Amino acid sequence: MDPVFSPPLHRQRHQFVIDFVKRNKPKKVVDLGCSECNLLQKLKFHREIELLVGVDINGANIKKKMHGLAPMSTDYLQPSFDQLRIELYQGSVTQEDARLRGFDLVTSIELIEHLPLADVERFSKVVFGYMTPVAVIVSTPNFEFNHLFHQPAGFRHSDHKFEWTRAEFKSWALKVCLEYGYAVEFTGVGQAPPGQQERVGFCSQIGVFRRLEGRQNGNMSFGDDAEDVFQYTLLYSINYPSLHNNNILQRVLVSEVLYWAEKMKRNWIEEKTGERDDTYALCRAEWEGEECLGASEQHMEMEDKQTACGAEMKNPGEHQESELFWTNGERQQESLRLHRCVSVPLAVLWSCCPKLSALSGSLSNLRHILMNDPEVKLSHDGSAVLLNDQEQDLEEEEEDHDDLEDSGYPICSHSVETEEDWEKNV
């Protein structure tokens, strides 16, 4: 019977790369021969990676699944400080491109056997001599394993140009190490049946190459203009949302401030009306006895050419503002309306909400960010967030309704009596 691998062999190869990434935490990774981006789909969840690149000579294969690498909705709703950029290129691994130099990890999973033997040396020169990554993972079929598939003379795939034995793979790998300054470790995935592992080895043999200390980046044989070579075609690129982006950071901070300020406002109103919700007990305990909404007294004054007006705040946490209306350019006050606001100190928000303090870094930074945002209304000295008093909003709506009635304009009514009167008049 043919060997049956569990998990499937392709998953074992991908898991080998994932385990390497977990241990070594590379920031820049490129997968050569990425095809339909299956390995990239898994690597994008490992956010120690900041730049994830795929290259394949078949652009149609890349386009089939490339949009599956886009950020998910949760990446936008809950952005983190992690940074990730994904790029997909169409190009040949036998051609150099300056955008692929200096990576931490290059993977070549079941790729090299698809190259004509004449191109293998060019592949070695580009990957190890030009790209000079810190580490390279190369996997390729082990020809010695083939007789277990009942095909001792044939290759496993019609497009394979060759399949190496363990000795042939080792010979190529050691030559690469000698020429370009790397060390290699041999391993593999897909174990043979019991009693045959030593005789035939792994189904897929793997070489893990590590650049030697003191190895110079680049290779003199490429010339001084090698940095300017760009032969690949960019097919897809995307930046994942990150809190390192100032616009995203401001959006998250504003959202958090408004959310917690509103909760604190409701808590204060419930305390004032005797309908306090016990769910705030834990949050209040974290404030270490500091009152959520402090009393303050503010006066708005207009000297000489302006009418003096204002109101002293009578209640803790309540802030009053005045609006003046002028007519015909005359300095004559038409009406004065006092707007009650609930004042939530920024210092309390910053100290009792760990996420706000972690994101903003300092109270002054938080204040600076909020001052430039139109969604947040701050007190005159910038020390507190002002929220409209819901009770006054309802009162003003009733006043507006009464004013409309007094204006003489008809008001639509949807009562049953009106409908009956209308029917009688028809």
Side-chain angles (χ1 to χ4, degrees):
M1 294 179 62
D2 290 345
V4 176
F5 300 104
S6 181
L9 196 58
H10 71 279
R11 292 186 183 177
Q12 292 189 43
R13 289 190 288 259
H14 289 175
Q15 189 61 47
F16 183 92
V17 175
I18 291 170
D19 292 341
F20 183 92
V21 168
K22 288 180 179 179
R23 292 192 306 268
N24 296 275
K25 303 187 183 308
K27 292 184 177 181
K28 298 172 64 178
V29 179
V30 55
D31 182 32
L32 302 180
C34 64
S35 187
E36 297 182 5
C37 310
N38 293 326
L39 178 57
L40 300 178
Q41 290 274 10
K42 299 174 183 178
L43 290 177
K44 75 172 187 175
F45 293 104
H46 297 270
R47 300 306 289 272
E48 59 267 22
I49 300 175
E50 296 179 359
L51 177 58
L52 185 59
V53 176
V55 178
D56 201 279
I57 197 170
N58 189 331
N61 278 345
I62 293 179
K63 292 177 181 179
K64 286 180 183 178
K65 300 291 182 67
M66 65 183 187
H67 294 292
L69 295 170
M72 298 186 295
S73 57
T74 52
D75 294 313
Y76 291 101
L77 294 173
Q78 297 179 332
S80 68
F81 278 107
D82 297 326
Q83 300 181 86
L84 175 61
R85 176 172 174 81
I86 297 179
E87 297 175 353
L88 299 176
Y89 294 94
Q90 180 179 1
S92 170
V93 294
T94 62
Q95 295 177 320
E96 62 268 18
D97 189 292
R99 290 167 289 190
L100 268 63
R101 290 172 62 91
F103 273 62
D104 299 309
L105 174 63
V106 171
T107 61
S108 173
I109 308 302
E110 307 295 288
L111 167 67
I112 196 171
E113 64 275 7
H114 292 271
L115 302 176
L117 280 170
D119 286 339
V120 172
E121 184 176 351
R122 182 66 180 173
F123 167 85
S124 305
K125 190 175 183 180
V126 169
V127 173
F128 296 94
Y130 178 78
M131 294 172 61
T132 64
V134 176
V136 182
I137 297 176
V138 177
S139 81
T140 189
N142 173 17
F143 184 76
E144 297 171 73
F145 203 96
N146 286 359
H147 79 276
L148 298 178
F149 293 115
H150 303 291
Q151 50 183 39
F155 295 154
R156 300 182 194 176
H157 192 278
S158 60
D159 189 55
H160 287 184
K161 306 304 188 293
F162 62 88
E163 290 179 0
W164 280 330
T165 64
R166 286 176 289 174
E168 290 170 329
F169 181 53
K170 183 177 181 180
S171 175
W172 168 79
L174 293 177
K175 180 182 178 183
V176 164
C177 292
L178 182 62
E179 291 184 3
Y180 301 105
Y182 282 79
V184 64
E185 175 187 351
F186 298 101
T187 182
V189 294
Q191 289 195 340
Q196 301 190 59
Q197 180 67 33
E198 185 176 348
R199 182 171 64 87
V200 300
F202 291 100
C203 184
S204 282
Q205 51 190 338
I206 296 176
V208 179
F209 300 80
R210 297 179 187 272
R211 194 176 65 204
L212 297 177
E213 293 293 332
R215 166 76 164 85
Q216 295 295 322
N217 289 344
N219 189 289
M220 296 301 295
S221 62
F222 283 90
D224 295 335
D225 62 344
E227 293 284 352
D228 300 325
V229 176
F230 301 97
Q231 301 194 66
Y232 295 166
T233 301
L234 180 65
L235 299 181
Y236 179 81
S237 65
I238 187 71
N239 286 314
Y240 273 56
S242 169
L243 292 172
H244 284 281
N245 182 301
N246 289 334
N247 291 332
I248 294 176
L249 176 61
Q250 178 171 337
R251 174 175 60 81
V252 172
L253 277 173
V254 168
S255 177
E256 289 292 318
V257 164
L258 294 178
Y259 172 77
W260 286 106
E262 188 66 31
K263 290 191 74 171
M264 291 177 181
K265 182 193 83 170
R266 292 201 305 267
N267 182 41
W268 178 75
I269 292 175
E270 288 166 359
E271 280 186 336
K272 194 170 67 168
T273 59
E275 298 177 357
R276 173 179 166 78
D277 189 345
D278 291 338
T279 58
Y280 288 92
L282 178 61
C283 185
R284 295 280 291 185
E286 292 178 354
W287 302 342
E288 299 177 348
E290 188 174 16
E291 285 296 330
C292 171
L293 302 170
S296 64
E297 293 185 354
Q298 296 190 10
H299 296 272
M300 296 184 62
E301 298 180 354
M302 296 183 176
E303 301 290 346
D304 193 16
K305 294 184 180 181
Q306 299 183 16
T307 303
C309 64
E312 184 180 272
M313 293 178 55
K314 305 296 183 182
N315 300 315
E318 195 167 75
H319 179 82
Q320 294 183 342
E321 290 187 341
S322 62
E323 289 186 0
L324 295 180
F325 299 88
W326 309 92
T327 59
N328 300 324
E330 299 178 0
R331 296 172 54 191
Q332 177 180 1
Q333 180 176 328
E334 183 184 32
S335 64
L336 173 65
R337 299 178 63 186
L338 294 178
H339 287 265
R340 295 194 303 272
C341 296
V342 176
S343 174
V344 184
L346 279 181
V348 176
L349 281 169
W350 190 83
S351 62
C352 72
C353 302
K355 186 173 181 179
L356 282 178
S357 57
L359 292 178
S360 59
S362 68
L363 183 58
S364 60
N365 286 343
L366 178 62
R367 182 181 295 110
H368 176 74
I369 292 173
L370 296 180
M371 288 177 63
N372 297 323
D373 194 281
E375 294 186 35
V376 179
K377 186 176 184 180
L378 295 180
S379 58
H380 294 293
D381 60 1
S383 65
V385 177
L386 301 181
L387 300 174
N388 289 334
D389 187 346
Q390 293 175 343
E391 294 179 359
Q392 184 176 13
D393 290 342
L394 293 176
E395 293 174 1
E396 291 179 357
E397 288 180 6
E398 293 176 356
E399 291 176 4
D400 293 341
H401 187 272
D402 293 340
D403 292 341
L404 185 59
E405 287 182 333
D406 296 338
S407 67
Y409 286 94
I411 302 176
C412 294
S413 174
H414 300 284
S415 64
V416 175
E417 288 184 3
T418 303
E419 292 178 358
E420 291 177 353
D421 293 338
W422 179 82
E423 289 176 354
K424 291 178 180 178
N425 295 329
V426 173

